[in-house]
Amino acid sequence: MADRSPDLSSRNPDWWRQAVIYQVYPRSFADADGDGLGDLRGITQRLDHLAGLGVDALWLSPFYPSELADGGYDVADHRDVDPRLGTLDDFDALVGEAHRLGLKVLVDIVPNHTSHQHPWFQEALRSAPGSRARERYVFRPGRGAHGELPPTDWQSVFGGSAWKRTPDGEWYLHLFAPEQPDLNWDDEDVRADFRTTLRFWSDRGVDGFRVDVAHGLAKDLAEPLRDVGNIGATGEEALPLVAPGSHPYWDRDEVHEIYRDWRKVFDAYRPPRTAVAEAWVPGPRRALYARPDELGQAFNFEYLEARWDADELRRVITDELATARAAGATATWVLSNHDVVRHASRLMLPPGTDPGAWLLSGGRAPAIDPGTGLGRARAATLLMLALPGSSYLYQGEELGLPEVADLPTEVLQDPIWEQTGHVRKGRDGCRVPLPWTTTGPSYGFGPGAAWLPQPPSFASYAVEAQTGADGSTLELYRTALRLRRKLLEGETLTWTPDAPAGVLDFRRAEAWRCVTNLGGVAAPLPPGEVLLASTPLSDSRTLPPDTTVWLA
């Protein structure tokens, strides 16, 4: 196990600036009670894996009471644990063990919407139009002679109208699933309740928060509500087409008042609680969320979305470092998460391929070579870990897991499948439970079968199969994170001016150098001691394609 010291954050409140944070999707990490669903006790029992891996923190995706209309992001109670996943005592035990191992804990906070099972929404449905209970959400009369048409043309991210009609004729807003009614952040009850929620988890020892849909809270609800027309409606693609901060419901300027208020809560603790925004907005707008008096950090998804191309990646890296610097924050880097095709598969898709169409084909059109995909993923990871800032890892990427693209449609759980009329398969393929052992009904995930079926190939990716295995992806991650901890110095990089075409080459504080060959042919290997390579090197003079090296 890596050398750890307990509760590093108590001595270094800036631990997050160049941290490695590991995302745990609780229902797919480890199942302690045998019901097929991952749980908090399962996570606690496997925390030694994260400590041994060498990460600084774990981020827990939602574990709150939920009917799983959207994988746990439909929250019925923001201050409790889903009984299928455990209890608040189990949560406290998890945090205590994490801190004992020197790991910080971040939790997902979901402020844009609740579950339709939330007591507030149930009260709203029982109340009359215009009632106080309905003001906490966004209820409106419909258009048309009898109110039979939605109030606006706003579209759900998951497909279809963002409005659903209630039996009394009014409509309510849901920018995601109908089971996820949007909250009205103009309402003081909503603001006060989330301040209480932030304190509730902070008082239980949580070190920080990942803020879901951080760019969606503030909405222009002035009457009459505005249609979005032909500017687009379902996500960040709409934002460049309107004046910054003026879209009816994405990335409005008023959202920053909310986060300045939250920062007062965070800073009341010692050390201050950290936060990172999930804000699908262009870089200059993203910097606003990362300001020191707001959340402090924001996810940079351009790195995740970039093609395997040296020029594009260099531009993305340079822009993100400048964006973070302008905000007084540090950059963030991520390759996979619970919402996207795993990068061991995604990086092999030809330019222009629609990942949704590829999933719909069961991963067969186009067919990809998993071995080459894994090599490219390993190179991308070493590149990411060498960059200044925080790296966010997604569970299972340390095993090199590919996307499970051929899940049978009858087992799909993601609401996207039904809500799009079976046009988009959804995100279940990156949420298949982890393999821990080479045998067993769920490869060590739990004593019985898992809630999503694992392919037989998972046996070869299991933690048991890779531990101690020379050259395994798991051992590569362990070595890289151990080295990274020793090498980190400063928060800048310097590009090497004479790098060959197709090669990214930069130095970190003159102490070490990262070189990645993204081209199709071998490139000259610069002089220096090879500290780590993403794939074995056949000689000391050349760097194979799809390979990253760290040099002293």
Side-chain angles (χ1 to χ4, degrees):
M1 181 178 295
D3 180 29
R4 312 289 303 182
S5 54
D7 195 12
L8 296 177
S9 63
S10 65
R11 295 196 303 277
N12 179 15
D14 291 332
W15 64 267
W16 52 272
R17 293 187 68 87
Q18 294 206 73
V20 177
I21 296 101
Y22 182 103
Q23 181 189 357
V24 171
Y25 191 74
R27 291 165 176 83
S28 296
F29 191 72
D31 170 23
D33 62 13
D35 65 354
L37 203 63
D39 46 47
L40 297 186
R41 286 196 296 118
I43 297 169
T44 303
Q45 292 169 5
R46 296 290 189 180
L47 285 177
D48 58 342
H49 172 71
L50 302 188
L53 191 62
V55 301
D56 298 292
L58 63 149
W59 145 34
L60 294 170
S61 289
F63 49 84
Y64 313 111
S66 171
E67 66 174 340
L68 303 182
D70 181 23
Y73 284 87
D74 47 314
V75 179
D77 185 342
H78 291 84
R79 298 192 288 271
D80 204 353
V81 175
D82 191 307
R84 292 166 294 184
L85 274 66
T87 65
L88 283 171
D89 286 342
D90 292 328
F91 179 85
D92 293 341
L94 189 161
V95 173
E97 178 63 5
H99 285 168
R100 187 188 71 80
L101 293 168
L103 298 165
K104 273 70 72 180
V105 178
L106 281 67
V107 299
D108 236 308
I109 198 81
V110 186
N112 181 69
H113 46 259
T114 71
S115 166
H116 67 156
Q117 295 182 336
H118 192 285
W120 275 2
F121 192 72
Q122 289 299 305
E123 180 187 1
L125 291 180
R126 293 191 302 268
S127 302
S131 63
R132 177 72 190 89
R134 292 201 173 186
E135 291 178 8
R136 300 185 186 113
Y137 294 89
V138 183
F139 281 84
R140 291 292 187 277
R143 296 189 290 195
H146 305 287
E148 72 277 9
L149 299 176
T152 68
D153 65 356
W154 300 359
Q155 295 292 295
S156 163
V157 173
F158 291 163
S161 174
W163 297 94
K164 182 174 180 179
R165 200 175 193 189
T166 63
D168 60 29
E170 277 209 320
W171 298 72
Y172 69 85
L173 179 67
H174 62 89
L175 290 179
F176 293 86
E179 297 87 354
Q180 294 169 289
D182 277 52
L183 288 163
N184 172 18
W185 274 86
D186 290 339
D187 188 90
E188 181 52 37
D189 279 1
V190 173
R191 296 187 178 219
D193 193 69
F194 271 88
R195 286 193 290 267
T196 300
T197 295
L198 295 172
R199 294 187 184 102
F200 179 86
W201 295 112
S202 295
D203 289 344
R204 302 190 92 93
V206 163
D207 301 282
F209 300 89
R210 177 263 189 188
V211 184
D212 186 61
V213 196
H215 61 307
L217 277 58
K219 299 173 176 70
D220 180 4
L221 299 179
E223 296 292 347
L225 297 183
R226 288 187 289 147
D227 283 346
V228 294
N230 62 3
I231 67 169
T234 60
E236 70 279 5
E237 71 277 1
L239 296 174
L241 303 178
V242 296
S246 67
H247 191 280
Y249 49 84
W250 293 133
D251 188 38
R252 294 190 58 77
D253 289 336
E254 301 92 323
V255 78
H256 299 289
E257 175 195 347
I258 297 169
Y259 298 130
R260 284 191 289 272
D261 184 52
W262 285 18
R263 175 47 60 186
K264 297 174 185 175
V265 176
F266 300 151
D267 286 352
Y269 291 86
R270 291 292 177 268
R273 290 347 188 202
T274 66
V276 58
E278 182 207 28
W280 291 85
V281 298
R285 296 290 298 179
R286 188 173 64 246
L288 304 180
Y289 296 81
R291 290 178 291 192
D293 66 338
E294 295 193 30
L295 296 176
Q297 211 172 49
F299 281 127
N300 153 40
F301 293 112
E302 281 90 341
Y303 186 75
L304 181 153
E305 295 177 327
R307 294 175 298 129
W308 189 241
D309 175 84
D311 292 337
E312 182 173 345
L313 278 169
R314 177 166 175 160
R315 177 187 57 78
V316 166
I317 292 166
T318 301
D319 289 351
E320 169 59 9
L321 291 173
T323 295
R325 193 178 308 114
T330 56
T332 64
W333 313 104
V334 59
L335 283 164
S336 285
N337 62 36
H338 64 290
D339 283 334
V340 300
V341 172
R342 285 187 177 273
H343 66 278
S345 299
R346 188 184 71 249
L347 291 175
M348 284 303 297
L349 297 178
T353 302
D354 176 7
W358 178 76
L359 286 173
L360 204 60
S361 77
R364 291 183 288 272
I368 60 175
D369 174 26
T372 305
L374 178 57
R376 190 169 283 185
R378 289 162 58 113
T381 295
L382 281 198
L383 169 61
M384 176 179 74
L385 292 175
L387 295 170
S390 295
S391 293
Y392 286 79
L393 311 180
Y394 179 52
Q395 65 177 41
E397 70 171 79
E398 78 277 18
L399 306 178
L401 289 183
E403 184 81 1
V404 183
D406 59 352
L407 285 171
T409 56
E410 61 268 20
V411 306
L412 298 180
Q413 305 285 322
D414 193 333
I416 288 176
W417 175 242
E418 294 296 338
Q419 202 159 326
T420 61
H422 301 176
V423 172
R424 292 165 57 195
K425 201 171 183 181
R427 301 159 293 179
D428 291 312
C430 66
R431 301 176 180 183
V432 175
L434 297 191
W436 294 92
T437 61
T438 57
T439 59
S442 59
Y443 302 107
F445 168 71
W451 67 282
L452 280 174
Q454 303 149 299
S457 61
F458 265 33
S460 63
Y461 291 98
V463 173
E464 180 183 56
Q466 297 197 48
T467 296
D470 187 38
S472 73
T473 301
L474 176 57
E475 294 299 343
L476 175 70
Y477 269 71
R478 287 171 172 165
T479 302
L481 292 174
R482 184 172 62 250
L483 274 173
R484 183 182 186 274
R485 190 179 293 271
K486 294 178 180 178
L487 293 169
L488 278 184
E489 182 180 344
E491 295 183 357
T492 60
L493 63 75
T494 303
W495 294 106
T496 301
D498 55 352
V503 172
L504 289 178
D505 186 348
F506 60 84
R507 296 178 183 275
R508 290 290 307 273
E510 300 302 323
W512 58 303
R513 183 173 182 176
C514 176
V515 187
T516 303
N517 183 3
L518 298 98
V521 297
L525 183 64
E529 176 191 356
V530 175
L531 301 173
L532 188 62
S534 63
T535 56
L537 302 179
S538 57
D539 64 67
S540 60
R541 298 182 302 277
T542 58
L543 183 64
D546 298 336
T547 303
T548 296
V549 295
W550 292 357
L551 299 170

